[in-house]
Amino acid sequence: MKDLAKLEKEFQERIDRGENIEPKDWMPEKYRKTHIRQISQHAHSEVVGMLPEGNWITRTPSLRRKVALLAKIQDEGGHGLYLYSATETLGISRDELYEQLHSGRAKYSSIFNYPALTWADMGAIGWLVDGAAIINQVMLTRTSYGPYARAMVRICKEESFHQRQGYEILLTLCRGTAVQKAMAQDSLNRWWWPSLMMFGPPDAESTHTEQSMKWKIKRKTNDELRQQFIDNTVPQADILGIKVPDPDLKWNEERGHYDFGEINWDEFWQVVKGHGPCNKERMDARRKAWNNGEWVRDAAIAYADKKAEKNIAKAV
Ligand code: 3HC
């Protein structure tokens, strides 16, 4: 058996060559563990992220908007299942992952602990939240763990539709009455800063970024992705004719980026620690759905067992 140092050295050389690591390959325990952490939290985010939008399915202003919102929410559920499958390749069961979420031990993205108060929020979530997710997820299509990178390719294609349908909702509102445009501006005011927090704490305070960059789990740091999102999104707000709620936002010709104001990291950590506006509501809803769905899971398992018994009887 090769010694650990040799295995770790060969592993890092594979990463440095840009090779994908596959489930059956040797990997440092910490590499495996940090992937279980990140991919499962990504999956939890997709599933919990269905809740704020789910509240608006019965309140959409038209059938067309309802169909688009239903399709988006369905996609998010699929992304969650995809990412749970990617996590299972690392040797943890789905039940364990759900237990980590429902017990509050696992995180999900802070952004989903904010309330969706008006129809314009369906636009802001698509435009800003899915827009931020795309910036992050396009980078993750080149992450070093094979199953995660491949899951991202499929998810990013659907994410682009999510972002576009959100932006179109806001474009419609901004071209509507003064009240509709004010609703869009109010939504941008409430979702702008929490969307910047989605990329995680500043690099200097990030627990995992340095190692994640070394292992090419991340190809860009939290701050780099955040800056990319701001640079992409501010011109889109200009087209809508609504104002980003940051008095310090200013194009910096020298840097070739927007300078922006201080993010309220106390608020971020409060939300991450469970004290956000909707943390309790989101977890209660998840636990209730899990408990109410027990009979469906039992029926599906009973059916699958029966089918397996029949196939074995046929085979002997
Ligand atoms: N919300 C909650 N927790 C967060 C967070 C956020 N926005 N940002 C960071 N954290 C947590 C981290 O999980 C870590 O805690 P842990 O050690 O207990 O896991 C701690 O804060 C320190 O942060 P780091 O920057 O060191 O953590 P990471 O290196 O993991 O970077 C990340 C954070 C950039 C979110 C990274 O985990 C990542 O890229 N995750 C995959 C993408 C993802 O999860 N996106 C969430 C949104 S998915 C979505 O929006 C779906 C779309 O369809 C709408």
Side-chain angles (χ1 to χ4, degrees):
M1 167 74 169
K2 285 180 190 164
D3 70 21
L4 189 57
K6 196 160 175 358
L7 284 167
E8 283 172 343
K9 181 171 168 300
E10 286 170 0
F11 176 81
Q12 190 59 52
E13 282 161 0
R14 290 194 62 200
I15 295 283
D16 296 344
R17 286 195 300 268
E19 290 178 23
N20 265 358
I21 305 301
E22 297 300 332
K24 292 202 169 29
D25 293 345
W26 186 88
M27 61 183 84
E29 185 52 15
K30 258 189 84 183
Y31 180 89
R32 191 179 70 83
K33 278 218 169 87
T34 205
H35 269 94
I36 289 177
R37 173 190 66 82
Q38 177 166 330
I39 308 174
S40 63
Q41 288 177 170
H42 196 160
H44 297 328
S45 303
E46 301 278 3
V47 171
V48 174
M50 295 163 78
L51 295 169
E53 292 171 319
N55 284 333
W56 279 89
I57 293 174
T58 54
R59 301 180 170 91
T60 57
S62 70
L63 182 60
R64 178 171 162 263
R65 293 295 188 199
K66 189 190 291 283
V67 168
L69 187 59
L70 275 168
K72 175 184 189 308
I73 295 170
Q74 203 173 332
D75 282 351
E76 308 297 13
H79 297 172
L81 297 180
Y82 227 52
L83 290 165
Y84 283 131
S85 304
T87 319
E88 285 173 307
T89 65
L90 291 154
I92 185 167
S93 75
R94 192 157 308 190
D95 279 353
E96 237 175 299
L97 296 171
Y98 287 140
E99 198 283 325
Q100 288 175 0
L101 174 66
H102 298 148
S103 64
R105 283 187 297 124
K107 292 184 169 71
Y108 56 88
S109 186
S110 49
I111 191 73
F112 297 119
N113 289 308
Y114 289 84
L117 302 173
T118 70
W119 171 249
D121 287 8
M122 290 303 103
I125 289 175
W127 173 40
L128 298 174
V129 176
D130 288 73
I134 290 173
I135 298 271
N136 187 328
Q137 291 168 169
V138 166
M139 179 269 288
L140 288 169
T141 58
R142 297 174 49 240
T143 192
S144 58
Y145 187 55
Y148 196 21
R150 290 188 290 273
M152 284 297 108
V153 173
R154 147 103 184 257
I155 287 175
C156 284
K157 287 184 186 134
E158 292 175 342
E159 220 64 278
S160 310
F161 144 67
H162 299 171
Q163 200 256 6
R164 289 227 179 76
Q165 63 87 40
Y167 192 68
E168 203 255 339
I169 288 174
L170 289 180
L171 204 55
T172 308
L173 291 172
C174 290
R175 290 177 177 162
T177 63
V179 171
Q180 287 173 325
K181 187 163 184 180
M183 189 161 69
Q185 180 63 66
D186 161 63
S187 194
L188 175 55
N189 295 345
R190 284 183 289 107
W191 287 92
W192 175 255
W193 292 102
S195 299
L196 301 191
M197 297 173 194
M198 281 177 69
F199 295 98
D203 295 347
E205 291 166 35
S206 165
T207 333
H208 304 290
T209 291
E210 192 188 341
Q211 183 61 60
S212 292
M213 292 294 283
K214 214 165 149 247
W215 277 336
K216 294 189 182 171
I217 298 172
K218 289 185 179 180
R219 297 294 190 128
K220 288 181 183 169
T221 69
N222 299 0
D223 289 333
E224 286 168 343
L225 290 173
R226 195 179 350 261
Q227 182 68 67
Q228 187 184 339
F229 172 72
I230 293 168
D231 293 348
N232 286 11
T233 311
V234 171
Q236 294 167 357
D238 296 344
I239 294 167
L240 291 173
I242 49 180
K243 213 169 155 8
V244 169
D246 177 359
D248 299 322
L249 187 75
K250 194 163 146 302
W251 178 254
N252 182 321
E253 199 49 50
E254 220 176 289
R255 286 181 60 227
H257 295 293
Y258 280 94
D259 293 336
F260 55 96
E262 252 317 290
I263 294 173
N264 181 343
W265 292 113
D266 290 343
E267 176 186 329
F268 169 75
W269 289 115
Q270 277 305 308
V271 175
V272 171
K273 287 184 184 124
H275 312 304
C278 299
N279 294 59
K280 183 174 174 335
E281 182 189 329
R282 299 288 184 243
M283 277 296 94
D284 288 350
R286 274 301 316 143
R287 290 185 194 109
K288 187 166 164 243
W290 176 257
N291 296 332
N292 291 350
E294 185 171 16
W295 69 272
V296 177
R297 293 193 298 277
D298 293 348
I301 291 167
Y303 175 76
D305 290 350
K306 202 99 197 106
K307 208 149 169 245
E309 267 168 39
K310 273 200 191 129
N311 291 342
I312 294 166
K314 256 196 247 154
V316 292

